[in-house]
């Protein structure tokens, strides 16, 4: 019985930690980190509060439309103990997709690794970077962010050329 309850609280820790990673305001984060690290139940006086915090995190994730992303990231975290892809990469990919409609991609999270994928159809450009537990995450993060900056630079260059051509035609 206690082992079954401990598993539930470990699952709640993954939920709370994942919601925090996705930028959601959560409570009991310190407790969740401790439960994850120790694989032990929280203090008995915190059990109700901790369960409510996990449910609140689920509600926030779903309200933000992040349910599918949270599922895959939570599974990755459960198996590896880390998210692998820093949140800055997630945010940069989402921002460039908003800024340029021809850019597609995202983070594909699997059981033991993640892949950051960018596809820019009108530039004929495609890139993927895998993130694995033993990788130099900082190097790979900088690589993806550098590629995103290259895309922005190329779009800026093309826009200047188009504006200059339009201006000389008048």
């Amino acid at each position: 019985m206690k082992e079954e309850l401990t598993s539930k609280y470990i699952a709640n820790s993954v939920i709370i930690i994942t919601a925090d990673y996705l930028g959601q305001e959560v409570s009991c984060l310190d407790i969740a980190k401790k439960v994850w690290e120790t694989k032990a139940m929280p203090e008995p006086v915190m059990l109700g509060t901790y369960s409510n915090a996990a449910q609140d995190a689920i509600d926030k994730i779903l309200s933000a439309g992040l349910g599918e992303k949270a599922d895959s990231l939570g599974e990755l975290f459960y198996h590896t103990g880390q998210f692998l892809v820093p949140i800055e990469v997630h945010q940069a990919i989402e921002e460039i997709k908003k800024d340029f409609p021809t850019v597609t991609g995202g983070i594909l999270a699997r059981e033991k690794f993640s892949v950051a994928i960018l596809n820019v159809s009108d530039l004929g450009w495609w890139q993927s970077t895998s993130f694995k537990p033993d990788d130099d995450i900082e190097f790979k993060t900088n690589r993806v962010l550098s590629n995103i900056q290259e895309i922005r630079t190329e779009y800026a260059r093309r826009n200047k050329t188009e504006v200059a051509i339009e201006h000389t035609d008048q």
Side-chain angles (χ1 to χ4, degrees):
M1 174 76 162
K2 183 176 180 176
E3 189 174 300
E4 185 178 311
L5 281 176
T6 302
S7 295
K8 176 184 175 187
Y9 292 110
I10 291 170
N12 284 346
S13 73
V14 173
I15 292 166
I16 293 168
I17 292 167
T18 301
D20 176 66
Y21 177 78
L22 289 172
Q24 302 303 303
E25 184 84 22
V26 296
S27 57
C28 296
L29 182 60
D30 289 339
I31 296 170
K33 288 178 180 178
K34 184 176 179 183
V35 168
W36 176 255
E37 290 169 11
T38 64
K39 305 296 188 258
M41 288 175 50
E43 295 298 318
V45 298
M46 294 303 297
L47 295 179
T49 302
Y50 185 68
S51 292
N52 290 339
Q55 185 58 54
D56 186 48
I58 291 170
D59 294 343
K60 288 178 179 180
I61 287 168
L62 295 176
S63 293
L66 298 170
E68 192 173 317
K69 183 179 275 191
D71 282 345
S72 61
L73 286 170
E75 182 178 341
L76 176 72
F77 184 83
Y78 180 80
H79 289 286
T80 66
Q82 54 189 330
F83 291 109
L84 302 177
V85 180
I87 195 67
E88 306 93 275
V89 173
H90 285 274
Q91 292 168 339
I93 289 173
E94 292 306 314
E95 285 174 19
I96 198 160
K97 286 169 41 179
K98 286 178 190 168
D99 294 344
F100 305 105
T102 58
V103 177
T104 59
I107 305 298
L108 177 64
R110 290 293 178 245
E111 188 175 304
K112 303 227 184 241
F113 69 95
S114 287
V115 180
I117 301 169
L118 285 169
N119 180 34
V120 188
S121 58
D122 60 333
L123 298 180
W125 191 83
W126 184 86
Q127 184 254 340
S128 70
T129 303
S130 65
F131 288 78
K132 298 175 188 160
D134 295 332
D135 286 347
D136 181 344
I137 301 299
E138 183 178 349
F139 171 79
K140 292 204 171 187
T141 297
N142 289 335
R143 179 177 164 196
V144 173
L145 296 176
S146 174
N147 287 335
I148 288 172
Q149 188 55 47
E150 286 178 36
I151 294 168
R152 290 187 178 285
T153 301
E154 180 60 21
Y155 273 118
R157 186 191 66 75
R158 286 183 179 210
N159 285 339
K160 285 180 184 176
T161 302
E162 289 172 11
V163 169
I165 290 170
E166 289 173 10
H167 192 63
T168 57
D169 287 345
Q170 294 177 358

